[in-house]
Amino acid sequence: MSEVIATYVLSGKSGTFEKKAEGIALGLTVGSWTDLPQLEQEQLRKYKGRVVEINELESDTAEIRIAYPSGNYSNDIPAILTTVFGKLSLDGRVKLTDIEFSDDLKKAYPGPRFGIGGIREKVNVFDRPLLMSIFKGVIGRDLDYLQSQLRAQALGGVDLVKDDEILFDNELTPFEERIKAGTNILREVFEETGARTLYAVNLSGRTATLREKARRARELGADALLFNVFTYGLDVLQELREDEEISLPIMAHPSFSGASAASPQYGVSYSLWLGKFLRMTGADLSLFPSPYGSVALDKKQVLAIRDELVKPDEFNETFPVPSAGIHPGLVPQLIADFGHECVINAGGGVHGHPDGAAGGGKAFRQAIEAVLDGTTLVEAAFANKELDEALKLWGEGAAVSVKK
Amino acid sequence: MSEVIATYVLSGKSGTFEKKAEGIALGLTVGSWTDLPQLEQEQLRKYKGRVVEINELESDTAEIRIAYPSGNYSNDIPAILTTVFGKLSLDGRVKLTDIEFSDDLKKAYPGPRFGIGGIREKVNVFDRPLLMSIFKGVIGRDLDYLQSQLRAQALGGVDLVKDDEILFDNELTPFEERIKAGTNILREVFEETGARTLYAVNLSGRTATLREKARRARELGADALLFNVFTYGLDVLQELREDEEISLPIMAHPSFSGASAASPQYGVSYSLWLGKFLRMTGADLSLFPSPYGSVALDKKQVLAIRDELVKPDEFNETFPVPSAGIHPGLVPQLIADFGHECVINAGGGVHGHPDGAAGGGKAFRQAIEAVLDGTTLVEAAFANKELDEALKLWGEGAAVSVKK
Ligand SMILES: [Mg+2]
Ligand SMILES: [Mg+2]
């Protein structure tokens, strides 16, 4: 069947969910049913929503699944969101936790252009998790300041550096100048060290200008784009991905995604938002809060995001990038939880190192190498000064956020 | 000062909010402060976020206001949302309830092109609330079906008819055919009755196609556009509004807005989403759930939306369109709550009338006239058959949703 099946968790009294589910399945499709003449039922049958499943959960909630035939909507994210959660999003405690697309519908979505494999080729690293760092405190700073931060990060051996997502086009460090300066610095570092670092520049501004700006970024030699997709729209991300003249890796930032996904009872699930939809519409990397730091998602939620990004599928895989609160002492835990197919991403954990960002990057690389060698960090710290300093500063491990 | 001031309501222990607010004001701007050398503080002072106010509310919540200088972002909705609620949206129980723009920043937003005054001119009605109705059960139906529904609604004396927001471009009733058919029917009715009805066609599809499609709609004589703005992005609405070649009234549908606004503790407020932002970015009409029906918002929330749409401001006013659960018996309550400057919008309350949509429309018009004449509906029903039937079916008044 050509359809999408939406899964919802909703509140209500036990025994009322069947009627509620039927009401949704009809209300969001053909409107009414039992009072229609036989002939009209025949005509409308293929447009009628269908209750697929009702699971009563614990106290006064149920998970219900409803199928929406593809004849009802155009196959794009805005139409599908309107169909399955347009009016319903306004109607009391109900959370949209998943949307399954039948294979024919799924084919219309591009998935990541590069994906994990393509990003690994660009940095020429295949045997370990990648390492990423973030510019810090760059608001109000000039190009020289950014350049020296970028250089320090790259010298530490990070594979990717991303713009701060709150750095927009501005007079001190305009978009094009950032790209040119970044490209120069990273070529210099490559010539010195032989290691390739990619810089993801923040693509921002009015919606209609984004594609032209992204094409220009490519002409200027940009490595990758950072994009605050949830302040624009998933369809805009998809259009950036589909544009052959852009053809740059896209790093999706979770900025503003919590507005729709943070509530346990309303909105959408993080796994749909930061997982399935980002992969379908074409993000090559998806950043999300790690379960270790202060901006903490529940570990189950985080692993559900990760699963959507890398599970076997027709799409390329999207690189999971657990972020926030990461320091070198967490690397064993990160690799245990996420495996090798992730990007370890740190801000303070790189810049806050006693030897600066270059030291921070090295400490992370040493920690990654130790884990891959089966050595403990404490052992590895004997021979690795930067890791030793990092462990002294931040310790090992962390409390993991697990919801009651 | 050129800045935006964001208001948040957040959870936490009494006495901790000052530190939290300072953390936000720095974390979302310059990053750090007290440890910076004097010279750098001088350079960065004009980029630094500022805690404007902290109000501890009842148990473990506070309202805080933080100012973000305009040098930190480009003056567009995506950049501003990322700045004030990007990372923060993911960080526990925090709700963004308002954003105030300083006058210089506000000037960059267009506001409604037509507004209440312009819409009134188009329908040539100045002395009463307008009346709108909605197509019902049109999924899977052909153009003939839509045409006869439109004709019945127009004959009932409604001023506006909107597409069902879940009707997208489809083979049975394609966008352009709907416009042509609608225009013909409404011209016929105008010739018969002298009353002008506007038809708002659902503008849907991929983001990059919308402007061209909207221009084409205008060429074909479309009256107005319905737009599911929250499945696209507020900036996309603004671009539709700003396009001189489109120049059609835009009716913003609240579809999917609940994903971000429905939770009391997370996301954004309805008054910001369906009120202030829709007006700033250029919606001529804003639909929102009435406080009377089954899809019920709290009355205080609804009036806060209304206030944002019509309060004295440099922008044209946006027509408030309280929707859902409206029948003729509610008209006195509606006018008491919303005054004359609203659009009374009904689906079932028009189509469910014993005499069909034409009868439903007439019943509403009779109810409106009665209220303006200072007559009770029961009195007016003696001389008005359609109103009499409506009151028998639906009664008078309704329970109003007011949150404890
Ligand atoms: Mg940041
Ligand atoms: Mg509808």
Side-chain angles (χ1 to χ4, degrees):
Chain A
M1 286 269 272
S2 183
E3 62 187 14
V4 298
I5 300 179
T7 304
Y8 311 94
V9 173
L10 41 81
S11 296
K13 292 271 161 262
S14 175
T16 65
F17 292 110
E18 213 146 323
K19 193 165 164 238
K20 220 165 186 169
E22 276 299 338
I24 294 170
L26 289 180
L28 301 186
T29 61
V30 293
S32 53
W33 190 251
T34 46
D35 51 333
L36 289 181
Q38 192 65 28
L39 184 69
E40 293 190 24
Q41 287 196 358
E42 290 313 315
Q43 285 168 354
L44 292 181
R45 195 172 301 277
K46 69 173 184 169
Y47 299 97
K48 181 178 170 292
R50 189 175 96 251
V51 178
V52 177
E53 204 179 342
I54 299 176
N55 279 318
E56 293 208 15
L57 307 174
E58 84 264 36
S59 52
D60 294 342
T61 58
E63 184 182 80
I64 67 173
R65 294 173 67 230
I66 293 175
Y68 301 88
S70 67
N72 295 19
Y73 41 82
S74 48
N75 188 14
D76 54 72
I77 300 282
I80 289 171
L81 286 179
T82 294
T83 297
V84 310
F85 207 51
K87 214 151 63 176
L88 194 56
S89 74
L90 296 136
D91 196 6
R93 277 188 215 160
V94 50
K95 192 161 176 93
L96 173 68
T97 58
D98 193 27
I99 303 179
E100 294 155 76
F101 290 69
S102 58
D103 287 343
D104 59 323
L105 295 180
K106 212 163 150 182
K107 276 196 213 323
Y109 296 85
R113 183 182 288 274
F114 300 94
I116 291 182
I119 300 290
R120 284 195 174 286
E121 272 170 36
K122 281 184 184 281
V123 292
N124 199 31
V125 174
F126 302 93
D127 55 354
R128 59 166 172 83
L130 300 188
L131 178 61
M132 175 156 116
S133 63
I134 311 172
F135 284 97
K136 275 286 158 189
V138 291
I139 298 275
R141 304 290 191 163
D142 62 16
L143 214 51
D144 281 348
Y145 187 91
L146 261 73
Q147 282 177 300
S148 66
Q149 251 198 33
L150 181 59
R151 188 177 159 79
Q153 293 174 84
L155 285 175
V158 303
D159 305 296
L160 300 114
V161 179
K162 69 170 265 290
D163 258 348
D164 196 341
E165 78 282 0
I166 56 171
L167 186 73
F168 305 98
D169 240 343
N170 69 91
E171 281 172 30
L172 293 171
T173 55
F175 182 71
E176 297 199 4
E177 298 310 312
R178 294 209 302 281
I179 296 170
K180 289 185 218 163
T183 309
N184 283 337
I185 293 286
L186 295 176
R187 191 177 41 235
E188 281 171 28
V189 173
F190 176 68
E191 282 159 12
E192 291 170 43
T193 68
R196 183 71 72 197
T197 300
L198 307 181
Y199 161 47
V201 64
N202 188 19
L203 180 67
S204 68
R206 300 297 306 275
T207 306
T209 68
L210 295 174
R211 283 164 75 177
E212 196 47 47
K213 219 167 147 181
R215 289 183 194 136
R216 179 76 184 131
R218 184 180 154 84
E219 281 168 22
L220 292 171
D223 297 317
L225 302 169
L226 176 73
F227 188 49
N228 289 311
V229 44
F230 297 101
T231 61
Y232 289 94
L234 285 156
D235 190 59
V236 177
L237 169 63
Q238 187 178 331
E239 290 182 342
L240 292 170
R241 155 61 179 95
E242 287 166 340
D243 191 323
E244 295 297 330
E245 291 171 59
I246 296 173
S247 196
L248 285 174
I250 302 172
M251 189 183 290
H253 197 278
S255 160
F256 199 69
S257 66
S260 297
S263 164
Q265 298 176 311
Y266 297 89
V268 300
S269 68
Y270 275 119
S271 59
L272 180 62
W273 230 218
L274 301 183
K276 181 180 276 190
F277 270 161
L278 285 184
R279 185 175 181 187
M280 277 181 71
T281 55
D284 297 285
L285 304 105
S286 168
L287 275 74
F288 49 85
S290 80
Y292 319 117
S294 56
V295 180
L297 289 198
D298 176 50
K299 186 162 173 180
K300 232 176 75 188
Q301 285 178 302
V302 172
L303 294 180
I305 297 170
R306 191 270 321 264
D307 289 348
E308 288 291 346
L309 297 175
V310 300
K311 74 181 179 192
D313 204 332
E314 71 193 57
F315 302 124
N316 282 333
E317 296 167 317
T318 299
F319 241 133
V321 191
S323 305
I326 308 288
H327 57 77
L330 280 170
V331 169
Q333 175 81 57
L334 262 166
I335 295 181
D337 290 338
F338 292 93
H340 290 201
E341 297 306 346
C342 71
V343 177
I344 296 175
N345 178 29
V350 165
H351 295 277
H353 191 277
D355 297 345
K362 284 177 195 157
F364 268 106
R365 289 288 301 276
Q366 291 158 1
I368 293 169
E369 203 182 307
V371 174
L372 300 192
D373 289 350
T375 317
T376 67
L377 297 193
V378 173
E379 276 178 281
F382 282 107
N384 290 290
K385 167 177 157 297
E386 290 84 4
L387 179 57
D388 187 50
E389 288 176 314
L391 296 184
K392 278 179 184 137
L393 185 58
W394 288 298
E396 273 192 288
V400 176
S401 172
V402 181
K403 278 227 180 76
K404 290 75 35 195
Chain B
M1 285 270 273
S2 183
E3 62 187 16
V4 298
I5 300 179
T7 305
Y8 311 93
V9 173
L10 42 81
S11 296
K13 292 269 161 266
S14 174
T16 65
F17 293 110
E18 213 145 323
K19 195 167 161 236
K20 221 166 186 168
E22 276 298 337
I24 294 171
L26 287 179
L28 301 185
T29 60
V30 293
S32 54
W33 191 250
T34 46
D35 51 333
L36 290 181
Q38 190 66 29
L39 184 69
E40 294 190 23
Q41 288 196 356
E42 289 312 316
Q43 285 168 353
L44 293 181
R45 194 171 301 279
K46 69 173 184 169
Y47 300 96
K48 183 179 169 289
R50 189 176 94 251
V51 179
V52 177
E53 204 179 342
I54 299 176
N55 278 319
E56 294 209 13
L57 307 173
E58 84 262 34
S59 51
D60 293 341
T61 59
E63 184 181 80
I64 66 173
R65 295 174 66 229
I66 292 175
Y68 301 89
S70 67
N72 294 19
Y73 41 82
S74 49
N75 188 13
D76 54 72
I77 300 284
I80 288 170
L81 285 178
T82 295
T83 298
V84 309
F85 207 51
K87 214 152 63 176
L88 194 57
S89 75
L90 297 134
D91 195 6
R93 278 189 213 159
V94 51
K95 191 159 177 95
L96 173 66
T97 58
D98 192 27
I99 303 178
E100 293 155 76
F101 289 69
S102 58
D103 288 342
D104 60 323
L105 296 180
K106 212 164 152 181
K107 277 196 211 325
Y109 296 85
R113 184 181 287 274
F114 300 94
I116 292 182
I119 300 290
R120 285 196 173 285
E121 272 170 34
K122 281 183 184 283
V123 292
N124 199 30
V125 174
F126 301 92
D127 55 353
R128 59 167 172 82
L130 299 188
L131 178 61
M132 175 157 117
S133 64
I134 310 172
F135 284 96
K136 274 287 156 187
V138 291
I139 298 275
R141 305 290 192 163
D142 62 15
L143 213 51
D144 282 347
Y145 187 92
L146 262 72
Q147 282 177 299
S148 66
Q149 250 198 34
L150 182 58
R151 188 176 159 79
Q153 293 173 86
L155 285 174
V158 304
D159 304 296
L160 301 115
V161 179
K162 70 171 263 292
D163 258 347
D164 196 341
E165 79 281 358
I166 57 170
L167 185 74
F168 304 98
D169 240 343
N170 69 93
E171 282 172 29
L172 294 171
T173 55
F175 182 71
E176 297 198 2
E177 298 310 311
R178 293 209 302 280
I179 296 170
K180 289 184 216 163
T183 309
N184 283 336
I185 294 286
L186 295 177
R187 191 178 40 234
E188 280 171 29
V189 173
F190 176 68
E191 282 160 11
E192 291 170 43
T193 68
R196 183 71 73 195
T197 301
L198 307 181
Y199 162 46
V201 65
N202 188 17
L203 180 67
S204 69
R206 303 296 306 276
T207 307
T209 69
L210 295 173
R211 282 163 75 178
E212 195 48 47
K213 221 168 145 181
R215 288 184 196 136
R216 178 76 184 131
R218 184 180 155 84
E219 280 169 21
L220 292 170
D223 297 316
L225 302 169
L226 176 73
F227 189 50
N228 289 311
V229 44
F230 297 101
T231 62
Y232 289 94
L234 285 157
D235 190 59
V236 177
L237 169 62
Q238 186 179 332
E239 290 180 344
L240 292 170
R241 154 62 179 95
E242 288 165 340
D243 190 322
E244 295 296 331
E245 291 171 59
I246 297 173
S247 196
L248 285 173
I250 301 172
M251 189 182 289
H253 197 278
S255 161
F256 199 68
S257 66
S260 298
S263 165
Q265 296 176 312
Y266 297 88
V268 300
S269 68
Y270 275 119
S271 59
L272 180 62
W273 229 218
L274 302 183
K276 181 181 277 191
F277 270 161
L278 286 185
R279 185 175 181 188
M280 276 180 71
T281 56
D284 297 287
L285 303 104
S286 168
L287 276 74
F288 49 85
S290 80
Y292 319 116
S294 55
V295 180
L297 289 199
D298 176 51
K299 187 162 174 182
K300 231 175 76 187
Q301 285 179 303
V302 172
L303 294 181
I305 297 170
R306 191 269 321 262
D307 290 347
E308 289 291 347
L309 298 175
V310 300
K311 74 181 179 192
D313 204 332
E314 72 194 57
F315 301 126
N316 283 332
E317 295 167 317
T318 299
F319 240 134
V321 191
S323 304
I326 307 289
H327 59 77
L330 280 170
V331 169
Q333 176 81 57
L334 263 164
I335 295 180
D337 289 338
F338 292 92
H340 289 202
E341 297 305 346
C342 71
V343 178
I344 296 175
N345 177 29
V350 164
H351 295 278
H353 191 277
D355 297 344
K362 283 178 195 156
F364 268 106
R365 289 289 301 275
Q366 292 157 3
I368 293 168
E369 205 181 307
V371 174
L372 300 193
D373 289 350
T375 317
T376 68
L377 296 193
V378 173
E379 277 179 280
F382 281 107
N384 290 290
K385 165 175 157 302
E386 290 84 4
L387 179 57
D388 187 49
E389 289 176 313
L391 296 184
K392 278 179 184 135
L393 185 59
W394 288 298
E396 273 191 288
V400 176
S401 171
V402 182
K403 279 225 180 78
K404 290 74 33 195

